[in-house]
Amino acid sequence: MSTASKLTLAGTTIAALGTIFFVHYGQQNEKAAMHAGVVRDMEQQRLKRERQAEFDLQRQLEGEYRKVQTVDGEGEEGRPRG
């Protein structure tokens, strides 16, 4: 084999390996970013469920308090008088 053909073979091999490495590296980064998005979405859903549960509890307590208490300036069922 001539020196030129050896250099060409070495150059194409290095270029191919470099391309494979960078594609693999890019895929790993993309996979990690996608996983982080899933984790973030799950956390947002958990917070939404907690907030909804708290809201439902507050709504229930409000209903119970309205049965036993009256608020000045409000008539029947919490509507303003007038």
Side-chain angles (χ1 to χ4, degrees), residues 19-34:
T19 302
I20 290 169
F21 172 76
F22 285 117
V23 167
H24 179 70
Y25 180 74
Q27 287 176 340
Q28 292 295 335
N29 284 342
E30 186 176 333
K31 182 179 178 182
M34 289 172 56

Side-chain angles (χ1 to χ4, degrees), residues 5-61:
S5 62
K6 288 179 185 178
L7 290 175
T8 303
L9 179 61
T12 56
T13 302
I14 291 172
L17 290 175
T19 302
I20 290 169
F21 172 76
F22 285 117
V23 167
H24 179 70
Y25 180 74
Q27 287 176 340
Q28 292 295 335
N29 284 342
E30 186 176 333
K31 182 179 178 182
M34 289 172 56
H35 180 68
V38 170
V39 170
R40 185 179 60 245
D41 289 347
M42 290 173 61
E43 179 67 15
Q44 287 176 345
Q45 289 174 359
R46 183 188 64 80
L47 287 173
K48 183 177 179 181
R49 284 191 303 270
E50 286 179 5
R51 289 178 182 144
Q52 186 63 45
E54 180 68 24
F55 177 77
D56 293 341
L57 177 63
Q58 292 297 323
R59 176 76 76 147
Q60 180 185 7
L61 288 173

